[in-house]
Amino acid sequence: MLLPAPIQDLIDAFARLPGIGPKTASRLTFYLLRAPENLALDLAAALENLQSGTGFCQRCFNITAAENAECEICADESRDASVLCVVEEPLDVLALERTGGFRGRYHVLGGALSPIEGVGPEDLRIRELLARLREEDVREIILATNPSMEGDATAMYLRQQLQPFDVRITRLARGLPVGGDLEYADQNTLLRALAGRQEMEG
Ligand SMILES: [Zn+2]
């Protein structure tokens, strides 16, 4: 069946989202077609603001409101600037913040090393991390990349890069579901992994 272009276009756009197959994409599109007009307009406005209203924190590369150069965590004077937790994505910051067990600051890499997907060191905010270490008085780096092959490889690589710096390097304790994402770990597991973090051997 040939659908009018505006419908097919939205189905195609939905289908590009993670976890949404062609069937769900069609269902969502036809739902919006029948839904009260303000739902579709609200959705369109929110999507537009998502791009224009947000940006990256210039210090840690967490997500922040576009009008702020730094995110709330970096701007918070009461946070311990001597401990940096290195994570893959802003969602990981959210997961760790939800535990309430970490009072340091973050550095968001923007992904993990993955030769298969063509992600190399220059694609992550590693240069920016090393620059921070030269400028800030950091005493400990917690490598909190995901407990996956890519996350482990990234932690190993960072371990090497951090060698010249006089800084304690730790890795979240095992016990997180292997292959999973930090963002899906429950708060207690994450708290335990944080509390049980161990020196990372070079
Ligand atoms: Zn920040």
Side-chain angles (χ1 to χ4, degrees), residues 57 59-62 70-71 73-74:
C57 170
R59 186 183 295 272
C60 75
F61 300 96
N62 190 10
E70 290 193 349
C71 72
I73 297 168
C74 287

Side-chain angles (χ1 to χ4, degrees), residues 116-165:
I116 293 168
E117 288 175 41
V119 182
E122 65 286 349
D123 299 311
L124 306 176
R125 314 262 195 212
I126 294 175
R127 211 175 328 116
E128 291 84 348
L129 173 65
L130 301 181
R132 284 184 74 179
L133 291 183
R134 286 181 208 106
E135 284 160 24
E136 299 173 27
D137 191 15
V138 178
R139 308 270 169 78
E140 181 184 352
I141 301 241
I142 304 170
L143 297 174
T145 48
N146 287 334
S148 61
M149 237 164 66
E150 290 82 6
D152 283 339
T154 308
M156 294 289 279
Y157 178 82
L158 287 174
R159 176 77 190 84
Q160 288 169 357
Q161 297 297 305
L162 295 169
Q163 204 82 56
F165 296 92

Side-chain angles (χ1 to χ4, degrees), residues 11 167 170:
I11 292 175
V167 58
T170 54

